[in-house]
Amino acid sequence: MEPLSWMLGTWLSDPPGDGTFPTMKPFQYLEEVHISHVGQPMLNFSFNAFHPDTRKPMHRECGFIRLKPDTNKVAFISAQNTGLVEVEEGEVNGQELSIASHSIARISFAKKPHVEQITRKFRLNSDGKLEQTVSMATTTQPMTQHLHITYKKVTP
């Protein structure tokens, strides 16, 4: 899992993240991220977002990041509290991970418009902070940036 070791640790948003999409009002959020390794050939992750003023829980997702042995190919498997389950695949190159949706499933009563595609990019910037950018396409909107957030590491 060495190619992904730069992602390990507990990370807190610094500053708050920005969210936008053509069908919603712009918003900010705080997020705590835990990325760990327990000896299996994958990383475990959880993303927990909170409203920056009220601290009320917002978005949640958890899952696994798998590295195909002896390659830079990566799979990102995620379940979200919105009822979305996704598999994204891509590559890790240095301290950057770029992934795109391979398959998306949702609960039968998921809120519309439905997400049809997702891309994510994680990178460790020159200040040692982790950045995440998420773009998505829905049944009514083309691929558009949705989220951008920067995290500082608080525990290894």
Side-chain angles (χ1 to χ4, degrees):
M1 298 306 301
E2 182 61 32
L4 295 170
S5 63
W6 53 273
M7 297 181 79
L8 290 168
T10 298
W11 304 82
L12 294 176
S13 52
D14 181 37
D18 293 307
T20 186
F21 203 69
T23 57
M24 61 180 67
K25 289 174 37 177
F27 62 94
Q28 289 193 314
Y29 63 103
L30 301 176
E31 191 162 53
E32 184 173 354
V33 176
H34 299 280
I35 303 176
S36 61
H37 182 260
V38 295
Q40 296 176 312
M42 69 192 74
L43 301 180
N44 305 320
F45 70 82
S46 65
F47 294 86
N48 299 298
F50 302 89
H51 189 278
D53 298 325
T54 65
R55 304 286 190 207
K56 286 187 177 181
M58 294 170 64
H59 183 87
R60 298 280 193 267
E61 66 183 285
C62 60
F64 307 95
I65 305 171
R66 295 189 58 123
L67 183 65
K68 184 176 180 182
D70 305 316
T71 74
N72 67 337
K73 306 288 185 219
V74 175
F76 180 94
I77 304 105
S78 170
Q80 301 181 22
N81 65 335
T82 58
L84 197 68
V85 178
E86 59 182 286
V87 174
E88 298 175 36
E89 293 185 358
E91 297 181 345
V92 58
N93 290 298
Q95 294 179 327
E96 184 171 291
L97 172 61
S98 296
I99 50 181
S101 53
H102 178 269
S103 61
I104 295 176
R106 70 189 53 79
I107 59 176
S108 63
F109 50 94
K111 185 177 170 184
K112 291 182 180 180
H114 292 156
V115 174
E116 292 189 324
Q117 291 179 296
I118 297 174
T119 64
R120 295 180 200 244
K121 183 176 284 187
F122 294 92
R123 77 179 193 95
L124 194 64
N125 70 25
S126 59
D127 294 329
K129 292 186 174 185
L130 183 65
E131 293 182 36
Q132 180 183 195
T133 302
V134 178
S135 297
M136 67 179 184
T138 68
T139 49
T140 63
Q141 297 294 322
M143 186 64 73
T144 306
Q145 183 173 313
H146 175 46
L147 304 170
H148 182 264
I149 192 163
T150 302
Y151 311 96
K152 67 178 177 183
K153 188 179 263 191
V154 293
T155 61

